Amino acid sequence: MNEAAWLTIAFVLMLLAMSWFALSLKSHWKQVTNGKPASHVLRGIGWLCVILSGLACLQADHASMAVLVWAMLSATAAFIVGQVLSYRPTLLKPLALFRA
């Protein structure tokens, strides 16, 4: 696979991770759906996606550049998820699979 494909995979994984981190919080969960979130499960899946995103960045570039790209992806993904929660939180409803 080429560099662009690996970076796209890394970005999608980081978006998923930040979305699940946000949904693990009770206040954000209530914005999206009712009930209580399975916080530990959502955080665990989020961390798994963060690690996989880092590995995808390592496939795309050498280590020093991959860490920089990975950090920028995490900041960008967190910003995007924050905007989605502010304006259209129901877009995250398909990710709200795990309830307590």
Side-chain angles (χ1 to χ4, degrees):
M1 249 192 278
N2 63 4
E3 181 180 336
W6 282 113
L7 291 176
T8 302
I9 291 168
F11 185 63
V12 169
L13 285 168
M14 191 60 79
L15 272 175
L16 288 171
M18 293 299 166
S19 297
W20 278 319
F21 285 149
L23 288 173
S24 73
L25 301 173
K26 191 175 178 182
S27 60
H28 295 313
W29 183 269
K30 286 191 181 263
Q31 283 182 286
V32 175
T33 188
N34 53 10
K36 294 172 81 176
S39 297
H40 295 295
V41 174
L42 291 170
R43 286 187 195 129
I45 294 171
W47 279 114
L48 178 66
C49 286
V50 167
I51 292 167
L52 291 174
S53 175
L55 292 174
C57 285
L58 281 171
Q59 288 294 318
D61 279 317
H62 51 86
S64 60
M65 189 64 174
V67 171
L68 174 66
V69 170
W70 185 65
M72 299 313 297
L73 285 179
S74 66
T76 304
F79 176 76
I80 290 171
V81 170
Q83 294 301 307
V84 168
L85 283 169
S86 296
Y87 294 105
R88 295 189 188 245
T90 56
L91 289 176
L92 297 180
K93 194 166 189 138
L95 299 176
L97 304 172
F98 305 100
R99 296 168 199 244

